[in-house]
Amino acid sequence: WRPTLREIVRAFVEGDFSLSRGLSNVRPVSAATARQIQSYVAAYGQTLVALPEDTWRTSESLWMDPFWDVIVDLWTDGGRSDMVLAARVLEVDGGYDFELYSVYVP
């Protein structure tokens, strides 16, 4: 899942909060969700950066039947932030689909 989650965050870093570039196995992000994520990141006041390897030490996933609930720690130019990317990972046809639903501070 890490490469896909990295690509999602890279899209956000580049300002593509709706993921309009199209990422394999990532479900489309609604306009409302894209606005929420963009607004939250802008209001945070620091610049979002690509995920470093350290993010995996503190990010979590939990099986919620029928999907994995995933929380990925986000990083800014100031280091690890307290913002997280929240997504569901669904098992489909021998693979996975990713569904983003929020960025927030827990």
Side-chain angles (χ1 to χ4, degrees):
W1 303 347
R2 291 177 183 186
T4 301
L5 293 166
R6 278 192 178 105
E7 286 302 313
I8 291 167
V9 173
R10 184 181 332 271
F12 292 170
V13 167
E14 295 171 1
D16 184 6
F17 294 96
S18 63
L19 302 178
S20 61
R21 66 185 60 194
L23 298 174
S24 180
N25 300 340
V26 178
R27 293 183 176 183
V29 175
S30 73
T33 299
R35 281 191 306 273
Q36 180 271 330
I37 293 170
Q38 183 176 17
S39 167
Y40 209 94
V41 170
Y44 192 77
Q46 294 182 345
T47 303
L48 195 63
V49 298
L51 296 178
E53 193 61 31
D54 281 349
T55 200
W56 309 120
R57 292 189 300 153
T58 54
S59 297
E60 299 284 337
S61 64
L62 178 65
W63 177 245
M64 299 296 290
D65 197 5
F67 59 85
W68 290 93
D69 196 28
V70 177
I71 303 294
V72 178
D73 288 321
L74 296 176
W75 292 66
T76 68
D77 53 0
R80 191 179 84 162
S81 75
D82 49 359
M83 284 188 299
V84 297
L85 168 68
R88 292 183 182 100
V89 181
L90 302 102
E91 296 180 0
V92 292
D93 301 325
Y96 298 96
D97 274 357
F98 295 76
E99 179 180 82
L100 308 177
Y101 64 89
S102 189
V103 167
Y104 65 97
V105 173

